[in-house]
Amino acid sequence: MTNPNSILHGSYHHALSRSWQSERTLTKDMLMYPIFITDDPEALDSIDSLPGQYRIGINKLHDFIEPLVKKGLKSIILFGVPLKEGVKDATGSRADDPNGPTILAVKLLRRDFPELFVACDVCLCEYTSHGHCGILREDGTLNNDLSVKRIAEVAVNYAKAGAQSVAPSDMMDGRIRAIKEGLMNAGLAHKVMLISYSAKFAGSWYGPFRDAANSAPSFGDRRCYQLPANGRRLARRAIKRDMEEGADCIMVKPGMPYLDIVREASEIATDYPISVYQVSGEYSMLYRSAEAGVFDLKTIVLESMTGFLRAGATLILTYFTPELLTWLDEERD
């Protein structure tokens, strides 16, 4: 006869009792929608490698966001995408242009949707002529100190424009402390959340994003500053470092291939929100596979969300946010 302690089926034979097995349940509050803002005010340009997503001009932004807010969108993260000639240079000097797409978008969203939480990605790659995430030395290597100084300036200027969160994705050493001190000096640290891309791994999962953001490096790659895929212990060190430097939230990126790191982050940073970015390659892989009939899109995306939550995430950045807002209503009904 089977040992009584071996009988598990009774605890999840019903849909309700299955829900009780979860440590946390996905809600709209947990979703942050990444949005690409471009410098053509009238743009609403589809992105072939990122189906269903757009580069959006400032004059189209309100009408794009409004129906999502009505569906329950709570937060967004902005990525500036300058496409005009002459905008990019060696130092990313236009990243915090007051008339550039990111700062204009922050001001519009804060004015038109006061309940929407507005975060800004902070990086130089979209604004540098070489496509790297910082300022380079003459030999093509990164000048970490100059890069950190510039990135901190950009982050503080986004905060001054009204961003409620800044999220540096550049992976420079020491940039969390520099940004935190910049926010403190500007009198903004009490009302701006600093989300650190602490465990951001180099690799092939960002291809569609680089198309969308026009930010592929013109030479080399980013493996000397983004973490190596096998660098679990480096990720642990980076998470601990960013906690020490003043991060308010820890991020792991990409998501699905790095669920072990999400779990590690949740165990290291036990008192911090843990965010995970389901990046463009993950999105496009699921989208195109469902399109080909490999599986049902809603089912597989919800499974991926469950994986993130089970690993310990409390905030999920995903391009599936518009669909999830609808699907969560369907699940509730």
Side-chain angles (χ1 to χ4, degrees), residues 144-145 147-153 155-156 166 168 170-186 189 194-198 238-250 272:
N144 192 83
D145 290 346
S147 300
V148 166
K149 181 181 178 182
R150 179 71 188 120
I151 286 160
E153 289 173 352
V156 170
V166 289
D170 55 284
M171 294 299 286
M172 300 299 122
D173 288 332
R175 88 273 201 215
I176 298 302
R177 182 182 300 278
I179 293 171
K180 195 72 164 192
E181 290 176 350
L183 293 171
M184 292 167 64
N185 291 336
L194 178 47
I195 301 177
S196 175
Y197 288 69
S198 300
I239 290 165
K240 292 175 183 178
R241 176 198 64 194
D242 290 356
M243 292 166 61
E244 290 282 337
E245 291 188 7
D248 297 309
C249 176
I250 300 299
Y272 290 71

Side-chain angles (χ1 to χ4, degrees), residues 44-106:
L44 188 62
D45 300 331
S46 60
I47 303 163
D48 291 342
S49 59
L50 204 57
Q53 307 305 312
Y54 302 88
R55 296 188 197 93
I56 307 166
I58 191 70
N59 291 346
K60 301 291 185 179
L61 184 57
H62 178 101
D63 289 347
F64 183 86
I65 291 292
E66 186 175 36
L68 298 177
V69 170
K70 288 180 178 178
K71 287 170 62 175
L73 179 67
K74 302 295 185 182
S75 68
I76 56 97
I77 183 167
L78 298 172
F79 294 85
V81 184
L83 297 176
K84 291 180 179 178
E85 289 293 327
V87 172
K88 302 189 179 196
D89 59 28
T91 61
S93 64
R94 302 289 287 276
D96 50 355
D97 180 354
N99 296 309
T102 303
I103 286 180
L104 289 178
V106 169

Side-chain angles (χ1 to χ4, degrees), residues 38-328:
T38 191
D39 52 6
D40 175 357
E42 303 300 329
L44 188 62
D45 300 331
S46 60
I47 303 163
D48 291 342
S49 59
L50 204 57
Q53 307 305 312
Y54 302 88
R55 296 188 197 93
I56 307 166
I58 191 70
N59 291 346
K60 301 291 185 179
L61 184 57
H62 178 101
D63 289 347
F64 183 86
I65 291 292
E66 186 175 36
L68 298 177
V69 170
K70 288 180 178 178
K71 287 170 62 175
L73 179 67
K74 302 295 185 182
S75 68
I76 56 97
I77 183 167
L78 298 172
F79 294 85
V81 184
L83 297 176
K84 291 180 179 178
E85 289 293 327
V87 172
K88 302 189 179 196
D89 59 28
T91 61
S93 64
R94 302 289 287 276
D96 50 355
D97 180 354
N99 296 309
T102 303
I103 286 180
L104 289 178
V106 169
K107 291 181 176 180
L108 182 148
L109 292 168
R110 292 300 314 277
R111 182 193 71 217
D112 293 1
F113 306 100
E115 300 304 315
L116 184 67
F117 187 90
V118 178
C120 289
D121 178 85
V122 184
C123 196
L124 300 183
C125 62
E126 300 98 333
Y127 294 89
T128 54
S129 51
H130 45 72
H132 281 282
C133 300
I135 297 171
L136 303 183
R137 301 177 188 272
E138 289 184 7
D139 64 359
T141 60
L142 278 167
N143 187 320
N144 192 83
D145 290 346
L146 288 182
S147 300
V148 166
K149 181 181 178 182
R150 179 71 188 120
I151 286 160
E153 289 173 352
V154 173
V156 170
N157 284 330
Y158 289 166
K160 287 179 177 178
Q164 292 146 309
S165 174
V166 289
S169 60
D170 55 284
M171 294 299 286
M172 300 299 122
D173 288 332
R175 88 273 201 215
I176 298 302
R177 182 182 300 278
I179 293 171
K180 195 72 164 192
E181 290 176 350
L183 293 171
M184 292 167 64
N185 291 336
L188 295 168
H190 67 290
K191 61 178 183 179
V192 177
M193 185 179 200
L194 178 47
I195 301 177
S196 175
Y197 288 69
S198 300
K200 179 180 178 180
F201 291 85
S204 301
W205 291 96
Y206 309 124
F209 175 93
R210 290 172 186 168
D211 288 344
N214 192 32
S215 63
S218 62
F219 68 92
D221 55 40
R222 295 172 176 150
R223 295 180 187 275
C224 290
Y225 47 101
Q226 295 178 2
L227 298 178
N230 61 355
R232 169 181 166 266
R233 290 174 294 184
L234 275 172
R236 292 176 59 89
R237 289 171 61 190
I239 290 165
K240 292 175 183 178
R241 176 198 64 194
D242 290 356
M243 292 166 61
E244 290 282 337
E245 291 188 7
D248 297 309
C249 176
I250 300 299
M251 188 191 299
V252 177
K253 178 184 181 182
M256 294 188 297
Y258 293 94
L259 291 178
D260 59 322
I261 307 299
V262 178
R263 171 52 66 182
E264 293 251 21
S266 71
E267 292 174 350
I268 294 168
T270 54
D271 298 323
Y272 290 71
I274 303 299
S275 55
V276 60
Y277 198 145
Q278 186 176 50
V279 301
S280 59
E282 299 172 74
Y283 170 87
S284 293
M285 176 180 67
L286 297 181
Y287 190 103
R288 294 301 190 194
S289 295
E291 195 173 56
V294 175
F295 37 57
D296 174 69
L297 184 62
K298 175 183 176 180
T299 303
I300 198 66
V301 171
L302 288 173
E303 284 183 18
S304 72
M305 297 298 114
T306 298
F308 295 142
L309 297 178
R310 188 182 63 245
T314 55
L315 171 64
I316 302 169
L317 288 71
T318 176
Y319 301 98
F320 286 115
T321 294
E323 289 83 0
L324 284 162
L325 295 174
T326 298
W327 294 336
L328 288 171

